[in-house]
Amino acid sequence: MMCNSRYRLLRIVAKYSTDASNTEFRVLDLRKGSGESAMQGRGRFQKRTEGGPQLLPPRETRMPIDQDWPSVWPGPRTFHPASVPLPVRQGYPAKDLAAPPGKYANAELMKIPNFLHLTPAAVQRHCQAIKRFCTPWPSKLTNEDACDKYFPVQTTTCDYLHSSPSIRDPLARIVTLQVKLSSLPLEGRTRDKFLRLVQERYNPETDMVTIVVDRCPTRKQNLDYSHFLLTVLYHESMKEESWEREKSPLDNELFEWQTSASRAAIDSLAVKQKLDPDYIQHYSEALTNLMNKGEDQETLADYKERALRLLGHSRN
Amino acid sequence: MIGKSVFRALNGKQEVVKRCSKIVIRASSTVPQMSLPSSSENSNPLPFFRSIQNSPSLHASNNSGQFYTIDPSIKKQLFLYGGIPKTFDELCNTFKETCMMIREPALEIMDYMKSTNFNNAATRYCLYGKIGTGKSMTMAHVLHYGFENSFVIVHVPWAPYWYKFPKEYSDCPTKEGMVDLPLDAVAWLIHFKNQNSHLLADPNLSVCQDWEWSKREITKKGAPLAEIVEMGINRVKYSTNCIEALLQELKQLSDLKRCKTIVVIDGFNIFFSDKTKIKTAAFEKIPPKRVTITSPFVDITKQDWSNGAVIVSVDDLAFFRKDQRNTHYPRGLLGPEGFEHLDPFIPIETKNYSEKEFHYCIEYFLERRWIINPHAASEEGRKELAFISNRNPFNLLKVTAPL
């Protein structure tokens, strides 16, 4: 009832506004389907016509291809579909065979971070801006090997940013020190000792020793400690203790022919029967291979062949 | 098709049975002469999967895959107390004959033995292979060869029996901390006597030194070797000591060229394991090296004697189920200690049947009526059997059993 009377008043205003005599002041009429056309044959409940307020076409349709993109998207921003001239689709469709949802009103696209502000052109501009503060790249460091040679020790630290009352993060104190074992002058006994001290921190595939230090509260202290550790490891490896000489053949990681019981057996056999020293040599190689590489068809077949030759057996 | 071949085989078999028995009766301890069939007959009156050659000394690579028959008297002498696997023995009872396939590993070992310089130290051959590929069967074949060529046989059919199912064990009176297996030792001596009965009468086999069992019982130097064996069998208390003496004597006699010895031990890797079911009087479980019967057999497999051969096999089944090492390779099964003991040795692998061997085996089963199902005899059926059993001899036997 109330709306009826209000409606009547507005109708009068509208009618008044469309009078030809009042062209100086156009009254804004935002009602959908207002005006004479809408009132034709309609009852109490007005049906809304399709369309709504007339909007301008999205900006992306009017973007030139050669525009300056870093100016359009200068900084990190939530995805805005009308400003991005790409037909991006994201997400799973409701029906199996439909295309993924488009970019308009796509919450998933808006949630994820985008790097539209870091296109190559933009990055190049950043670099150009920073370049005047940089020194030139050292001329001798032309490849990875040169870098490893002159800078064998790599230190890795991580910085954390917080938008909270405190900017501190306890994880920022962690320091990782990485060095290639081949850059240290260790061999044989010293290398073995170093590896025993370092244990699982050594990766044989990449030949890298990785030491992670986090026991001190500040980064600088951890850094100093990691340098100290490296120094101590090296010097301790170089030292030889008296008890190290107590290592027996049973403790050996790899089979050594010279100190093995097999060699003693061959030597005692050679006393009684004639054994060709060449064949003994070949046999020892096959045996060492069998023991160190592990037993399989190949190593066993090799061992068999050489044992046959050594013991003087052959098939007719 | 099947009926025809069976009929022909039966006919051929009847003829050959007569011929075979003639050959065996003539031969004693010498290698029998090959009886060549006359030119008017076929070159092989037997079906192609059977060999006319029943003497292992004459087996060659052209016999590979064929079945040869072991005479019942020889089987009784050699294998009465063990040596032929149980499943195979049941099969032989079913077939009323003992037929073994001539396969590559056995031919290889026999080849090496034929061309060995017996002045050199005894070579050790180690048979290895997956379960069911024929290690025990190969050893039986080589044992037959050794028997034919007048080797003194030192045969342990399945060493783990002593440690898993000992008949009786007691603390050793003479050696501290060791345990005796008196009844098992006696059983082994009886087995030895049975296998070597034809050789123990040889006057060459006389004892090289005095052996004192107790204050009153002494075996003097020059006495026949059989005396030590009898001593061990009659006096259970000294049975293990007799084994030790016997094996030491055999080593010395072989060195002196008065006899040649073949040592065949199945399941050798048990000697180097760490568990047995044997306990001391104080109920302490002991490893094999603390059992007195272990040391003589480990000792004879060393390379400090000549004029003989040592054939051992290593098997994962020798260990207790919980300790099985899931490998069939010799170093893995022997362990570092065992490998060091046996090194240098010749590893010989036993494999699954080749296509030819598989074919011959199926033909044999068909002839013996082990496989009755006609589909199994067809091309497709054979392919199926080959796939299911992976051409593993033991698996093939099990798979074809219900057919």
Side-chain angles (χ1 to χ4, degrees):
Chain A
M1 280 301 154
M2 274 285 281
C3 53
N4 262 339
S5 58
R6 209 197 298 155
Y7 194 69
R8 218 182 326 125
L9 191 68
L10 283 169
R11 249 198 301 158
I12 292 164
V13 167
K15 194 176 165 222
Y16 195 62
S17 65
T18 53
D19 269 356
S21 55
N22 287 319
T23 46
E24 285 156 19
F25 184 72
R26 285 182 297 115
V27 176
L28 179 65
D29 184 8
L30 291 172
R31 280 176 305 152
K32 274 191 267 187
S34 61
E36 303 237 5
S37 57
M39 305 324 286
Q40 282 168 16
R42 295 274 196 261
R44 207 165 115 185
F45 300 104
Q46 300 291 316
K47 244 192 185 171
R48 283 186 174 190
T49 55
E50 294 297 315
Q54 276 223 311
L55 294 171
L56 294 169
R59 186 176 153 201
E60 53 159 335
T61 54
R62 294 182 292 123
M63 277 179 173
I65 295 166
D66 55 355
Q67 72 180 341
D68 181 36
W69 179 255
S71 307
V72 175
W73 205 279
R77 196 197 160 189
T78 314
F79 186 80
H80 188 257
S83 307
V84 179
L86 300 166
V88 177
R89 287 185 173 271
Q90 157 77 346
Y92 287 100
K95 283 185 200 167
D96 269 336
L97 295 173
K103 60 178 174 171
Y104 284 99
N106 191 330
E108 299 307 315
L109 265 176
M110 281 193 251
K111 281 191 232 171
I112 57 173
N114 64 72
F115 294 93
L116 292 161
H117 57 291
L118 290 174
T119 50
V123 171
Q124 200 176 30
R125 272 185 221 176
H126 288 308
C127 291
Q128 286 301 331
I130 301 168
K131 221 174 185 136
R132 62 194 180 105
F133 302 113
C134 300
T135 54
W137 181 257
S139 55
K140 278 197 178 167
L141 298 181
T142 45
N143 54 11
E144 275 295 315
D145 292 334
C147 293
D148 285 338
K149 183 183 165 193
Y150 291 110
F151 298 94
V153 178
Q154 287 173 39
T155 316
T156 312
T157 50
C158 206
D159 293 300
Y160 301 81
L161 294 174
H162 291 279
S163 62
S164 71
S166 168
I167 56 163
R168 307 289 166 202
D169 193 308
L171 296 174
R173 76 189 193 286
I174 301 172
V175 169
T176 308
L177 187 110
Q178 280 179 313
V179 66
K180 263 203 175 149
L181 197 60
S182 47
S183 53
L184 289 165
L186 300 167
E187 265 187 28
R189 183 200 67 83
T190 51
R191 186 191 149 97
D192 178 50
K193 190 166 179 183
F194 186 94
L195 287 174
R196 282 175 192 274
L197 287 169
V198 138
Q199 288 183 355
E200 74 274 2
R201 294 175 188 81
Y202 175 68
N203 184 354
E205 279 164 46
T206 56
D207 194 36
M208 284 286 233
V209 178
T210 310
I211 302 172
V212 180
V213 182
D214 65 347
R215 61 169 60 185
C216 304
T218 64
R219 182 187 291 171
K220 182 175 186 308
Q221 289 170 340
N222 283 323
L223 208 61
D224 290 339
Y225 182 60
S226 65
H227 293 151
F228 163 75
L229 270 181
L230 189 62
T231 320
V232 159
L233 277 169
Y234 174 74
H235 287 287
E236 279 298 319
S237 313
M238 298 304 275
K239 277 191 226 168
E240 188 174 354
E241 308 279 346
S242 54
W243 45 258
E244 283 185 49
R245 279 187 217 106
E246 289 170 26
K247 187 178 182 183
S248 63
L250 277 172
D251 301 318
N252 283 342
E253 301 80 31
L254 293 174
F255 177 79
E256 265 175 38
W257 166 253
Q258 292 299 329
T259 52
S260 65
S262 305
R263 186 187 171 208
I266 296 277
D267 285 342
S268 64
L269 189 66
V271 167
K272 288 175 217 159
Q273 71 189 64
K274 190 171 162 250
L275 292 175
D276 190 331
D278 270 339
Y279 290 159
I280 296 179
Q281 169 69 21
H282 290 159
Y283 170 80
S284 67
E285 280 165 20
L287 181 63
T288 313
N289 200 25
L290 176 76
M291 299 290 241
N292 289 339
K293 246 192 185 177
E295 252 182 326
D296 60 22
Q297 290 280 71
E298 214 186 295
T299 48
L300 258 178
D302 205 25
Y303 172 83
K304 176 182 176 178
E305 196 194 305
R306 308 227 181 152
L308 279 169
R309 222 182 296 163
L310 176 72
L311 298 172
H313 289 289
S314 57
R315 291 203 79 170
N316 298 330
Chain B
M1 272 304 270
I2 300 164
K4 246 193 195 170
S5 61
V6 167
F7 180 73
R8 198 170 5 107
L10 275 172
N11 267 343
K13 187 170 153 276
Q14 278 174 5
E15 281 180 272
V16 168
V17 161
K18 282 187 202 159
R19 211 183 284 148
C20 275
S21 54
K22 271 191 198 159
I23 293 172
V24 170
I25 288 167
R26 271 193 216 126
S28 50
S29 59
T30 54
V31 173
Q33 295 299 310
M34 184 168 172
S35 63
L36 287 166
S38 58
S39 52
S40 57
E41 289 175 318
N42 273 335
S43 53
N44 187 356
L46 292 170
F48 63 93
F49 53 85
R50 281 184 187 273
S51 165
I52 43 168
Q53 226 21 272
N54 284 335
S55 153
S57 319
L58 297 171
H59 287 158
S61 49
N62 59 339
N63 296 119
S64 170
Q66 290 182 324
F67 285 85
Y68 87 99
T69 319
I70 301 180
D71 191 67
S73 62
I74 295 180
K75 182 184 173 186
K76 197 172 171 189
Q77 183 168 2
L78 281 180
F79 303 119
L80 182 60
Y81 297 106
I84 289 196
K86 269 189 213 155
T87 327
F88 183 70
D89 206 20
E90 282 165 20
L91 197 73
C92 294
N93 288 335
T94 314
F95 291 169
K96 300 271 186 287
E97 62 172 6
T98 311
C99 268
M100 214 186 286
M101 194 192 265
I102 301 164
R103 292 185 75 198
E104 205 26 59
L107 288 172
E108 203 181 333
I109 297 181
M110 292 193 292
D111 243 349
Y112 294 141
M113 283 181 68
K114 282 174 196 165
S115 58
T116 304
N117 177 0
F118 282 106
N119 292 322
N120 286 346
T123 317
R124 285 82 60 87
Y125 303 93
C126 182
L127 278 165
Y128 70 98
K130 293 190 180 156
I131 296 171
T133 46
K135 297 182 286 294
S136 302
M137 296 297 284
T138 308
M139 299 187 97
H141 195 169
V142 175
L143 200 66
H144 188 187
Y145 168 83
F147 170 76
E148 257 190 8
N149 288 280
S150 316
F151 279 84
V152 173
I153 299 171
V154 175
H155 178 222
V156 181
W158 184 241
Y161 276 145
W162 292 337
Y163 306 102
K164 288 186 183 179
F165 310 106
K167 290 189 182 62
E168 184 202 5
Y169 46 84
S170 55
D171 277 354
C172 182
T174 45
K175 293 176 194 158
E176 272 288 325
M178 306 277 270
V179 172
D180 259 338
L181 297 177
L183 294 183
D184 287 297
V186 168
W188 186 82
L189 282 167
I190 294 173
H191 176 52
F192 176 83
K193 183 177 162 190
N194 191 40
Q195 284 183 321
N196 298 296
S197 51
H198 58 296
L199 291 171
L200 286 173
D202 188 353
N204 256 335
L205 288 182
S206 58
V207 175
C208 299
Q209 62 182 82
D210 284 345
W211 291 99
E212 203 178 285
W213 314 116
S214 70
K215 280 197 186 145
R216 286 189 214 152
E217 286 149 336
I218 306 173
T219 304
K220 294 246 158 139
K221 177 176 170 176
L225 204 63
E227 216 177 279
I228 300 184
V229 182
E230 288 301 325
M231 180 73 191
I233 295 171
N234 295 329
R235 305 280 277 126
V236 179
K237 191 171 158 188
Y238 303 124
S239 53
T240 317
N241 297 342
C242 287
I243 293 184
E244 278 174 22
L246 176 68
L247 296 187
Q248 275 198 35
E249 283 296 324
L250 280 172
K251 279 169 85 169
Q252 286 183 26
L253 288 170
S254 300
D255 261 333
L256 296 168
K257 299 257 188 291
R258 274 148 61 174
C259 72
K260 42 186 183 168
T261 313
I262 186 170
V263 178
V264 179
I265 302 179
D266 209 344
F268 186 68
N269 49 320
I270 192 73
F271 291 142
F272 301 101
S273 72
D274 8 273
K275 277 194 207 160
T276 62
K277 278 221 169 113
I278 302 167
K279 295 175 206 159
T280 60
F283 302 106
E284 182 199 344
K285 275 199 177 158
I286 54 167
K289 60 182 174 199
R290 275 179 63 185
V291 182
T292 49
I293 206 169
T294 316
S295 57
F297 292 100
V298 167
D299 191 58
I300 201 165
T301 56
K302 286 187 188 163
Q303 54 179 12
D304 52 0
W305 57 287
S306 62
N307 204 18
V310 176
I311 297 115
V312 300
S313 87
V314 288
D315 199 344
D316 206 13
L317 292 175
F319 296 125
F320 288 99
R321 186 75 67 90
K322 279 186 234 166
D323 304 326
Q324 279 179 359
R325 299 183 193 185
N326 295 319
T327 172
H328 58 278
Y329 289 119
R331 170 113 187 19
L333 289 172
L334 288 166
E337 213 187 301
F339 189 86
E340 262 175 31
H341 172 85
L342 216 53
D343 191 42
F345 64 93
I346 316 289
I348 310 251
E349 192 183 3
T350 53
K351 296 183 187 155
N352 287 335
Y353 281 147
S354 66
E355 288 206 24
K356 178 187 174 192
E357 287 172 338
F358 177 78
H359 174 55
Y360 280 33
C361 188
I362 295 285
E363 288 296 326
Y364 176 68
F365 283 160
L366 284 168
E367 192 234 37
R368 292 279 95 198
R369 310 281 290 157
W370 185 247
I371 301 175
I372 313 171
N373 189 332
H375 181 65
S378 67
E379 260 307 308
E380 229 186 79
R382 281 172 202 234
K383 280 189 193 165
E384 214 178 303
L385 284 173
F387 181 76
I388 294 171
S389 64
N390 196 22
R391 283 199 240 117
N392 178 290
F394 188 63
N395 277 347
L396 182 62
L397 186 62
K398 282 198 291 181
V399 156
T400 50
L403 290 175

